[in-house]
Amino acid sequence: MTSLKVSRGKDGRPMTVISSDDLPLHKFDILKKHNMLSCEKLLTLTIYDLVEKTGLNLDDVNDILKIASTKLSPPILPIKDSVKSQVGLSFGSPNLDQAFLPLLYPGTILELWGEAASGKTQLALQLCASLHPNFSSAYISTEGPIPSGRLMELHRCRTISPTSTPKCEVQQCTTLEALTDCIYRQLPLLASSSPLKLVILDSVAAPFRCAEVEGGGVRRAQVIRSLGQQLKYLAVNHDMVVVTVNQATSVPEVGLAPALGLTWSYVVNARLHLVDVGEPGRRVVTVDKSSVLKTGTSSVTCSLKNTGII
C-alpha cells in the first residue's frame, strides 16, 4: 500500500507527493533530483517528457504515473455503500439509475462524452431537472446559450407541481478567461452560500479548442490539470458531484476518444460514453471508466424522447 504524503505548493493548496515508500530508492532519488515528486506535476507531463528528463525507461515511467494517478484518485468504495450516499441525485431515468447511480457519488467528477448529437447535453440537463428540491445545481455552458427552455420542460416531466422551477444557477462562459473566473471565483462563492449539490460543465473542451494557451502544450496541460483539480477540490469540500460534458476527437490508431487527452483523463473519476447507434431515438450508454463499476461491462440501451433519455 502506497504511503500518502501531502505537502503544499507555492499557492498554498494541498499537493500530493510520492514518498520513498512508493518506489525503489534509486528511482525516488531521480525524481527528487529533478523536482518531480508532485503527483500533480507528473501527470501534466507526457511519458516521453518524463523519459527524457529522468533517463528512466518506459516501463519505469508508466509505473510512476500509475502510482501518481492512484494517489490522486478517491478510494474504491463498495457499490452498496456508494448507493446509500446518492441523496437527492438521479439520472432522471429508472433505467439509468439502476445501472449507473453509484457514479453519482459526492466528491467526484463524472464525465459524459460522445460525438455530436449523442445526447450528452440532454442527459446533463436531465440531471439538473431531476435534482431533489432541497438542493440546487449550477449549469456552466461554454458553447453558447443555455437551453433553459428544455431544462424547464424536463423538470416539469419530473415534478407533481406544474409551476415548479428547478433551482439551477446558469452561467455562460465562452472564453477560457471567463471559465477560469467562474471556476476559481464565482463557483466557490456559490457553493459556500447555497445547498449546491450538482455542477454541470458543458463542455470542458470548447474553451481550449477556441483559444491558444500562452506557453504552448506544457502550459496548456498545466491549465487543464489545474482547472480539474479545482473542480475536484470543490466537489470534495462541498460534498457535491461535478459532471463534465466532453467532446469526441479522432486519435490516430485509436479512433474516437474524449478530447483533452490523458491530462484530463487522469482528473475524472468516472466516464460514461453516449453513442448514437443509428436508429432514430436510440442511444447506448456505457461505462468507459469507473472505480466502482467494471469498465466495459455496464451498458444500457435508452430511448431519446420528449421526456429525456429514458
Side-chain angles (χ1 to χ4, degrees):
M1 185 174 180
T2 58
S3 172
L4 183 63
K5 181 180 179 182
V6 179
S7 302
R8 295 196 175 268
K10 293 181 180 179
D11 58 359
R13 288 182 56 186
M15 181 177 64
T16 305
V17 298
I18 289 178
S19 74
S20 57
D21 296 331
D22 301 322
L23 291 169
L25 189 57
H26 72 283
K27 295 178 186 178
F28 173 80
D29 289 340
I30 289 173
L31 292 183
K32 185 176 181 181
K33 176 182 177 181
H34 293 282
N35 191 28
M36 290 185 177
L37 295 178
S38 165
C39 295
E40 292 89 347
K41 182 176 181 179
L42 285 168
L43 295 179
T44 64
L45 300 174
T46 69
I47 293 174
Y48 301 103
D49 286 337
L50 288 171
V51 169
E52 182 179 352
K53 290 176 181 293
T54 62
L56 296 170
N57 61 43
L58 281 173
D59 289 339
D60 288 339
V61 168
N62 274 316
D63 289 341
I64 290 170
L65 290 176
K66 287 178 182 178
I67 292 172
S69 177
T70 299
K71 281 176 166 286
L72 290 176
S73 299
I76 296 177
L77 299 170
I79 292 179
K80 60 182 179 65
D81 293 337
S82 182
V83 171
K84 292 178 181 177
S85 299
Q86 315 313 311
V87 180
L89 293 165
S90 169
F91 284 100
S93 161
N95 196 21
L96 294 173
D97 281 346
Q98 183 176 4
F100 306 128
L101 191 62
L103 302 184
L104 293 177
Y105 193 85
T108 62
I109 298 178
L110 169 65
E111 179 172 272
L112 310 176
W113 81 280
E115 295 184 89
S118 59
K120 305 183 297 295
T121 295
Q122 289 292 312
L123 186 53
L125 290 169
Q126 196 165 303
L127 282 160
C128 289
S130 306
L131 189 65
H132 191 280
N134 288 346
F135 303 112
S136 63
S137 62
Y139 199 105
I140 305 167
S141 174
T142 63
E143 295 189 305
I146 296 165
S148 54
R150 180 58 174 155
L151 175 60
M152 289 295 301
E153 183 181 7
L154 290 170
H155 178 73
R156 286 168 181 164
C157 292
R158 290 164 173 79
T159 180
I160 59 175
S161 173
T163 59
S164 173
T165 59
K167 296 179 182 177
C168 181
E169 299 289 337
V170 297
Q171 180 70 38
Q172 187 173 337
C173 303
T174 56
T175 66
L176 184 56
E177 291 75 14
L179 178 61
T180 301
D181 178 72
C182 180
I183 290 177
Y184 281 97
R185 186 179 64 84
Q186 299 178 49
L187 198 55
L189 291 174
L190 180 62
S192 299
S193 60
S194 65
L196 193 63
K197 194 74 171 179
L198 174 68
V199 173
I200 306 289
L201 175 54
D202 182 8
S203 73
V204 65
F208 292 96
R209 287 185 164 182
C210 299
E212 291 290 332
V213 177
E214 185 178 349
V218 173
R219 178 55 184 161
R220 180 177 182 271
Q222 291 173 340
V223 173
I224 292 171
R225 188 266 305 170
S226 181
L227 286 174
Q229 288 300 108
Q230 172 67 2
L231 288 172
K232 187 169 290 188
Y233 175 82
L234 292 172
V236 171
N237 281 273
H238 295 281
D239 199 33
M240 64 186 184
V241 175
V242 174
V243 177
T244 62
V245 175
N246 200 358
Q247 301 162 346
T249 188
S250 182
V251 178
E253 300 182 5
V254 175
L256 287 179
L260 302 184
L262 286 175
T263 301
W264 179 254
S265 179
Y266 284 119
V267 171
V268 301
N269 301 102
R271 180 184 288 129
L272 289 177
H273 185 196
L274 283 74
V275 179
D276 183 347
V277 296
E279 300 176 23
R282 304 292 285 178
R283 300 292 186 271
V284 173
V285 185
T286 306
V287 175
D288 201 36
K289 175 184 178 181
S290 173
S291 60
V292 294
L293 297 177
K294 192 172 182 180
T295 302
T297 59
S298 297
S299 182
V300 174
T301 300
C302 305
S303 299
L304 184 56
K305 302 180 179 180
N306 291 336
T307 55
I309 298 179
I310 307 300

